[in-house]
Amino acid sequence: MSKFKTVTWPKVILFGDSITQFSFQPNGWGAEIANKLARKCDVINRGLSGYNSRWAKIVLPRLISSQNSADSSIAAVTVFFGANDCTLEDKNPQQHIPLQEYSENLKEISQLLTSAGVSADKIIFITPPPLHEPAWEKECILKGSPLNRHNSVAGQYAQACVQAAGQCGTDVLDLWTLMQADGQDYSVYLCDGLHLSEKGNQFVSQHLWELLERRVADLPFILPYWGDVDSKSPESSLLCNQ
């Protein structure tokens, strides 16, 4: 029988659409969070490009389950949907989700996480960011379609996300409001009018860390610092039950 216990790494799970999926690219917000949590947490990317909240709630039990003992060490989960839900129904019916259903889907996602052992205080909702229509319209035209989103509609979904968070008792990062605060030029946060630019990734990382930090502040540094390892008897340092 082994004389030492397996090291358990707590997890932070990033659950969302393409804005989450792409967050592990160089200078991405997910990569920045993972870097901050090195030797404390595994940061797991569960971004699903193109997904909306309806599809998200269907697949979530396949990703996080109370039956999976590894999921008992979750420190936090971000839920970042809405950028696809808010597409205009007549322009993009495949991804569009009605506003009220979007709200209910977020609540159901929160309930599914809670039933899997992830308490509401570990959940952070993230609203869709603002949409810069001129830039996104150019992207749509290149793909042979008309403009399929409006910033004002994205704002309605952001507000619904904030309200759902309040009803579920979770934290929320309201990107739509923060990125437009004080009349600032929010287009600098977007690379194509919809997805995040490098500056947008930095913005998300900075503001998300403010919410994440208190959830992970007490997590220990996993395995000894190299300078603390007994070079004459490394086993005594590296195989200790800590």
Side-chain angles (χ1 to χ4, degrees):
M1 177 179 287
S2 173
K3 296 180 181 180
F4 57 90
K5 67 179 183 180
T6 302
V7 177
T8 299
W9 295 71
K11 296 186 290 187
V12 171
I13 298 177
L14 312 180
F15 184 43
D17 54 32
S18 61
I19 302 177
T20 296
Q21 180 176 319
F22 301 153
S23 72
F24 271 22
Q25 293 180 345
N27 301 311
W29 63 269
E32 289 295 318
I33 295 297
N35 183 55
K36 288 178 181 292
L37 291 175
R39 296 283 290 274
K40 284 194 169 188
C41 275
D42 282 338
V43 178
I44 300 173
N45 189 327
R46 292 293 179 263
L48 302 164
S49 179
Y51 274 50
N52 55 36
S53 62
R54 181 187 296 166
W55 303 346
K57 74 175 184 180
I58 293 172
V59 301
L60 181 57
R62 302 182 64 186
L63 306 179
I64 301 175
S65 168
S66 60
Q67 306 304 312
N68 184 352
S69 60
D71 288 340
S72 63
S73 59
I74 294 175
V77 177
T78 61
V79 179
F80 193 174
F81 290 95
N84 295 317
D85 298 65
C86 74
T87 59
L88 304 177
E89 184 176 13
D90 60 333
K91 301 294 192 300
N92 187 354
Q94 184 176 9
Q95 291 178 302
H96 169 80
I97 299 297
L99 183 62
Q100 183 58 40
E101 183 189 341
Y102 168 68
S103 177
E104 294 303 319
N105 288 341
L106 291 180
K107 295 174 192 176
E108 188 167 343
I109 287 170
S110 177
Q111 292 167 357
L112 288 168
L113 287 170
T114 301
S115 67
V118 182
S119 55
D121 63 306
K122 294 182 178 181
I123 302 170
I124 301 172
F125 285 174
I126 305 177
T127 76
L131 179 83
H132 188 245
E133 294 178 20
W136 184 242
E137 185 172 26
K138 291 179 181 178
E139 294 294 317
C140 291
I141 291 172
L142 286 174
K143 297 175 182 178
S145 63
L147 179 66
N148 57 20
R149 290 167 171 84
H150 291 313
N151 188 41
S152 60
V153 177
Q156 294 172 11
Y157 282 71
Q159 184 178 18
C161 180
V162 171
Q163 292 173 346
Q167 293 168 352
C168 294
T170 73
D171 262 339
V172 62
L173 175 55
D174 185 357
L175 291 181
W176 192 86
T177 298
L178 287 172
M179 286 182 169
Q180 298 180 94
D182 302 320
Q184 63 183 306
D185 177 14
Y186 65 89
S187 67
V188 299
Y189 298 125
L190 306 167
C191 65
D192 58 6
L194 174 65
H195 300 95
L196 300 175
S197 64
E198 182 172 340
K199 189 170 183 177
N201 274 283
Q202 292 172 351
F203 186 97
V204 174
S205 174
Q206 174 191 340
H207 288 274
L208 179 58
W209 182 247
E210 293 173 2
L211 298 177
L212 268 179
E213 188 172 17
R214 64 181 175 81
R215 292 172 167 82
V216 298
D218 295 332
L219 294 176
F221 194 68
I222 298 176
L223 295 176
Y225 175 66
W226 72 268
D228 295 331
V229 176
D230 184 344
S231 61
K232 295 180 180 179
S233 177
E235 291 85 358
S236 64
S237 300
L238 301 176
L239 300 182
C240 59
N241 287 327
Q242 295 180 356

